[in-house]
Amino acid sequence: MNVMTRPSQGGDVRWDELIRPDRVHGSLYTDPAIFEAELQNIWYRTWVYVGHESEVPNANDYVVKSIGPQSIIMTRDERGKINLLLNRCSHRGNQVCSYDKGNARSFTCPFHSWTFANDGRLVGYAFPDGYEGQDKSQLALGRVTRVQSYRGFVFGSFATDGPTLEEHLGGAAETIDRLVRTSPEGEVEVTAGFLKHRVKANWKFILENECDGYHPAFVHSSIFGVADSAIGKLYGGASTAVTRDYGNGHTEIDLRPEFRKRDQSLSWFGTNEQRLPDYVSRMKAAYGDQTSREIMIDGTPHVMIFPNLFIAEIQMFVIQPLGVDDSVQHVTALQFKGAPDMNRRLRQQTMGSVGPAGLLLADDSEMYERCHRGVLARNPEWIFLGRGEHRERRDENGFIVSQVTDEVPSRGIWRHYRSLMEAH
Amino acid sequence: MLARESSATLLQAVTAFLYKEARLQDEHQYEAWEALWTDDGVYWVPANGGDIDPEREMSIIYDNRSRISLRIKQLLTGKRHTQTPQSRLRRLVSNIELFDDINGDIAVASNSMVFESSLRDDTIWAARNEYRLRYVDGELRMAYKKVTLVNNEKALFTLSFLI
């Protein structure tokens, strides 16, 4: 247990030594060399969530996003196509876009006036006689190599080949299906603006906490107690809710067993049909009485799409790593297309819960920072993730599940992490 | 328009009120701070600039009176981990100005700078504060406080003390 290891000395990391089935080494969170390796093997290779199509609804709309520390401009060009462009002039590297969002056919670099169309093409440079014979097509803005959407969620991958987005999402794609069908028009929108919450902690503390069903009873007891919330019981030792490992690093807390036991429409959202009459009538019109009732009992998913998209029932977080101990959580209320009364409540609940002053997330973030400082101590060297190993089972689709407080999600995340880090 | 003398008297009363509010916040006197609010109080800390519509877009804090009360109750549990231990705080309040009344409420603005020492690190916060104050039973009370942090378009560290 306390054998000293030298994880990144000499550049050859023995991932199997650092990542074991029920424990991982503390240096995985704090070693700057490991963080650099993660950028190469995870953030700049696998599918990473970037933005949502509804953030650029019109031709020439753009919004500035990120993949890890890199600034990415997501544009919708004149033909309606979504592009993910690197915010870096192909001339001397200056950032070509300095605003968070807007509408622009082109981006002109302020340094030497090189101008790029919003599909990335270089369309002009100042005093062109100095570039006689140059091929402009070789000097376009850099782009994220592969771009694919799933139900409006836009992902990017810098790898020229590899799994498709659908292969990457695998069984977790169904959770996004489950999310969008909670909208009467079958679409979610990302239109409420983002809170940006910075923590001095490694990004994987955030990643692992999102589907950790063990902590809410303790970290969030202060708010569950005073808000008379029914959420606490979902995460108790007697809860029938489960944690699930979808593979590929995607993990879920599936609360549906508890909501189905309650058998009350919109109980998942702490409300009832009488308080959201407009939403309920639109859902019934869209899906029929029986199906809409099932949807409104089950609610939306609580799923962490590896490595950075967390759908937390009513809101969405995007995890951005900036450095080994520097991370940002971008968070917004999910909005259901065609459901204004629902959307108002989604925003109000989200604002109360999350962001720098959130009644829930400020306490989670405190744990991330304390964990980061804690693991700098190296005795014990390991983080123990063995909770519930003895009672894991397979669900009807073959995915590993266990009781809601069990550490199935962390084990699944690290299994996938190791496969990505060993592949290169 | 107030006469010069009454305006000076009001400014003095308002200044004393803002200093008191600052002290109660710095010293985590949660219940005394909550008692400064009117029954219809709104506590707003916008994100992404100062002119977003809080009914449409996300704010850092957008509390009606009952949520202000909930926020205070949570702090009073002693299990609000991000404030256990409490941040150590001192703030400076300056540039206090009276503006034209809004629906009978006294419109006031100030600038503030807060030095926070927490487990994570030391953090400096700077803000424009806009208030609507009202006399209730002879005492000044807050009906509205908007805190526009200078850097609210950036990613912010946890802000769990009373700003």
Side-chain angles (χ1 to χ4, degrees):
Chain A
M1 185 96 187
N2 291 323
V3 180
M4 290 302 290
T5 43
R6 302 287 295 265
S8 66
Q9 301 298 312
D12 269 333
V13 182
R14 288 291 307 272
W15 299 102
D16 57 338
E17 284 183 4
L18 299 180
I19 303 165
R20 306 200 181 159
D22 67 349
R23 67 199 62 202
V24 298
H25 197 264
S27 64
L28 290 161
Y29 300 88
T30 58
D31 185 334
I34 286 178
F35 180 75
E36 286 303 316
E38 289 169 351
L39 290 181
Q40 300 311 316
N41 294 337
I42 298 174
W43 294 93
Y44 302 158
R45 192 177 307 269
T46 69
W47 289 103
V48 175
Y49 173 73
V50 180
H52 194 271
E53 288 176 3
S54 61
E55 294 179 85
V56 285
N58 305 308
N60 304 318
D61 282 348
Y62 72 87
V63 61
V64 174
K65 295 290 180 180
S66 60
I67 294 182
Q70 297 196 54
S71 174
I72 306 284
I73 316 169
M74 181 168 88
T75 69
R76 187 184 288 277
D77 64 31
E78 290 183 41
R79 290 165 298 140
K81 182 172 164 255
I82 304 269
N83 304 271
L84 299 180
L85 308 173
L86 275 73
N87 190 6
R88 179 199 192 283
C89 183
S90 52
H91 178 211
R92 298 243 202 134
N94 199 34
Q95 292 199 317
V96 296
C97 182
S98 301
Y99 295 93
D100 289 340
K101 58 187 172 184
N103 183 279
R105 288 171 194 278
S106 62
F107 300 95
T108 297
C109 177
F111 199 179
H112 302 93
S113 207
W114 285 33
T115 297
F116 302 89
N118 60 12
D119 61 3
R121 283 173 301 122
L122 174 63
V123 292
Y125 23 47
F127 317 142
D129 54 318
Y131 290 119
E132 209 176 294
Q134 283 294 338
D135 179 3
K136 278 202 189 110
S137 71
Q138 298 302 307
L139 290 166
L141 288 177
R143 30 189 336 122
V144 179
T145 318
R146 290 188 297 162
V147 181
Q148 280 187 17
S149 291
Y150 188 79
R151 297 198 177 275
F153 292 84
V154 181
F155 294 76
S157 162
F158 281 110
T160 34
D161 46 38
T164 63
L165 176 61
E166 295 216 11
E167 287 165 350
H168 167 73
L169 292 174
E174 185 270 334
T175 63
I176 300 178
D177 299 343
R178 221 191 293 156
L179 171 68
V180 300
R181 73 175 189 158
T182 320
S183 150
E185 296 187 19
E187 287 181 45
V188 294
E189 295 183 311
V190 176
T191 50
F194 280 85
L195 297 180
K196 290 161 276 186
H197 189 177
R198 188 171 178 187
V199 291
K200 201 164 165 48
N202 186 264
W203 64 279
K204 298 188 294 301
F205 287 116
I206 308 172
L207 169 70
E208 289 182 83
N209 190 58
E210 310 300 27
C211 287
D212 173 59
Y214 196 17
H215 80 280
F218 316 106
V219 174
H220 303 307
S221 65
S222 64
I223 193 61
F224 292 161
V226 297
D228 194 25
S229 167
I231 298 174
K233 290 191 199 75
L234 301 171
Y235 297 98
S239 172
T240 56
V242 298
T243 48
R244 178 174 290 113
D245 172 11
Y246 281 107
N248 290 347
H250 311 312
T251 57
E252 180 185 24
I253 290 179
D254 188 351
L255 300 168
R256 287 176 295 176
E258 284 290 311
F259 295 141
R260 287 175 185 175
K261 240 178 14 185
R262 290 184 192 168
D263 195 33
Q264 289 165 4
S265 182
L266 294 172
S267 168
W268 70 271
F269 194 25
T271 188
N272 57 50
E273 294 201 358
Q274 287 69 46
R275 291 168 77 175
L276 293 172
D278 189 42
Y279 172 71
V280 171
S281 71
R282 288 177 196 226
M283 287 296 284
K284 286 182 177 167
Y287 300 104
D289 284 358
Q290 175 69 23
T291 304
S292 67
R293 184 173 157 75
E294 286 167 14
I295 294 171
M296 290 189 286
I297 286 172
D298 280 355
T300 50
H302 183 116
V303 64
M304 179 66 232
I305 306 288
F306 185 91
N308 70 332
L309 173 63
F310 175 38
I311 294 163
E313 288 102 333
I314 64 167
Q315 66 249 161
M316 168 182 118
F317 294 76
V318 185
I319 302 170
Q320 181 188 16
L322 290 172
V324 69
D325 65 349
D326 192 1
S327 310
V328 177
Q329 304 165 83
H330 302 256
V331 56
T332 188
L334 288 163
Q335 301 280 273
F336 296 157
K337 196 167 183 190
D341 56 343
M342 183 75 167
N343 287 342
R344 182 170 192 283
R345 192 178 160 89
L346 287 163
R347 291 190 301 268
Q348 293 296 337
Q349 297 265 321
T350 296
M351 269 191 278
S353 311
V354 305
L359 303 177
L360 290 168
L361 262 289
D363 289 319
D364 290 305
S365 298
E366 186 68 28
M367 298 302 114
Y368 307 149
E369 292 178 340
R370 292 189 196 181
C371 283
H372 193 103
R373 295 194 299 273
V375 296
L376 291 168
R378 286 290 152 77
N379 185 8
E381 293 178 78
W382 301 90
I383 289 198
F384 180 61
L385 300 171
R387 182 176 171 82
E389 244 189 335
H390 63 287
R391 55 183 177 186
E392 285 183 354
R393 61 182 199 277
R394 298 269 174 180
D395 69 10
E396 64 278 16
N397 297 310
F399 300 123
I400 297 171
V401 294
S402 196
Q403 207 266 341
V404 69
T405 63
D406 290 346
E407 285 162 339
V408 165
S410 269
R411 290 192 289 273
I413 285 167
W414 283 108
R415 192 177 302 118
H416 182 62
Y417 176 98
R418 184 176 149 185
S419 75
L420 293 174
M421 300 306 277
E422 283 180 336
H424 299 282
Chain B
M1 200 63 193
L2 295 161
R4 188 178 295 170
E5 292 73 18
S6 66
S7 171
T9 308
L10 180 60
L11 181 62
Q12 201 170 24
V14 162
T15 301
F17 178 87
L18 298 188
Y19 287 174
K20 179 181 175 185
E21 193 225 351
R23 175 169 47 80
L24 296 177
Q25 291 183 309
D26 283 348
E27 298 177 0
H28 304 283
Q29 296 189 46
Y30 304 130
E31 288 162 302
W33 181 79
E34 190 188 348
L36 300 180
W37 287 95
T38 60
D39 293 342
D40 60 346
V42 172
Y43 180 30
W44 180 28
V45 184
N48 303 308
D51 58 357
I52 62 161
D53 177 358
E55 295 291 336
R56 310 294 312 174
E57 293 179 72
M58 300 286 293
S59 290
I60 298 162
I61 294 174
Y62 185 49
D63 286 359
N64 60 13
R65 187 62 186 80
S66 76
R67 195 168 276 170
I68 292 170
S69 175
L70 184 64
R71 191 175 293 280
I72 296 303
K73 283 197 189 101
Q74 185 188 25
L75 287 164
L76 288 169
T77 63
K79 293 186 217 157
R80 172 64 160 161
H81 300 291
T82 169
Q83 280 300 315
T84 318
Q86 292 169 331
S87 299
R88 289 193 287 165
L89 301 165
R90 280 299 160 190
R91 75 193 70 198
L92 305 176
V93 177
S94 77
N95 303 61
I96 300 168
E97 283 185 277
L98 296 173
F99 293 89
D100 290 340
D101 287 2
I102 298 171
N103 300 326
D105 289 342
I106 304 156
V108 188
S110 71
N111 292 347
S112 64
M113 189 171 280
V114 188
F115 188 94
E116 179 195 17
S117 172
S118 69
L119 289 181
R120 183 191 54 251
D121 207 344
D122 298 341
T123 311
I124 293 172
W125 305 87
R128 178 70 168 167
N129 308 298
E130 293 163 74
Y131 294 84
R132 290 172 207 164
L133 305 180
R134 188 184 302 158
Y135 277 103
V136 179
D137 300 329
E139 301 281 344
L140 275 175
R141 293 282 176 264
M142 296 189 280
Y144 173 94
K145 182 181 183 186
K146 176 184 176 187
V147 182
T148 307
L149 295 162
V150 172
N151 57 344
N152 76 1
E153 84 293 359
K154 294 215 179 95
L156 300 175
F157 286 119
T158 293
L159 176 63
S160 53
F161 62 88
L162 298 172
I163 185 76

